[in-house]
Amino acid sequence: MSEIQACPKCKSEFTYQDQDLMICSQCFHEWDPKEESIELESGLKVLDSNGNELVDGDSVIVIKDLPVKGAPKPIKAGTKVKNIHLSEGDHNISCKIDGFGSMALKSEFVRKA
């Protein structure tokens, strides 16, 4: 008998196998466990403005002036940001910028250095 896998959508343990697919009895989500394992291995994929893949620890350059709430001046285009950390969500880059402190940036406004 195969292992029971939790539903990736609702995290329910009440799943069953139907031929090659797994089905959740709570939310009726269907998925292929083989494809799910491939997605988990690939992890988070974040692309910069030019389509290059970013990874944790990369350095990036801001491509346009970005206004910052509560700051008297924007982050200027051409500012280099070192040692980025990737995260889920709309602002998917966490970093520290000299003169501003900890910030969250959108990957569409940076390019890989």
Side-chain angles (χ1 to χ4, degrees), residues 92-104:
N92 47 10
I93 297 175
S94 299
C95 59
K96 288 186 180 178
I97 300 176
D98 294 335
F100 291 95
S102 295
M103 301 289 290

Side-chain angles (χ1 to χ4, degrees), residues 10-23:
C10 71
K11 308 297 183 210
S12 172
E13 295 178 1
F14 301 110
T15 60
Y16 60 93
Q17 187 168 1
D18 183 23
Q19 296 178 3
D20 292 336
L21 298 176
M22 294 293 293
I23 302 172

Side-chain angles (χ1 to χ4, degrees), residues 53-83:
E53 186 172 358
L54 299 173
V55 295
D56 283 344
D58 274 350
S59 295
V60 295
I61 296 174
V62 177
I63 61 170
K64 71 177 245 181
D65 289 355
L66 300 174
V68 179
K69 286 186 179 179
K73 57 185 179 174
I75 298 172
K76 296 286 186 183
T79 302
K80 187 171 184 176
V81 181
K82 299 177 186 176
N83 198 19

Side-chain angles (χ1 to χ4, degrees), residues 1-41:
M1 185 163 196
S2 65
E3 284 185 26
I4 302 278
Q5 295 182 355
C7 175
K9 189 172 182 182
C10 71
K11 308 297 183 210
S12 172
E13 295 178 1
F14 301 110
T15 60
Y16 60 93
Q17 187 168 1
D18 183 23
Q19 296 178 3
D20 292 336
L21 298 176
M22 294 293 293
I23 302 172
C24 176
S25 62
Q26 300 296 309
C27 69
F28 303 108
H29 176 67
E30 297 180 1
W31 74 97
D32 186 356
K34 295 172 190 168
E35 290 177 9
E36 186 69 26
S37 64
I38 292 170
E39 279 183 26
L40 291 175
E41 289 174 7

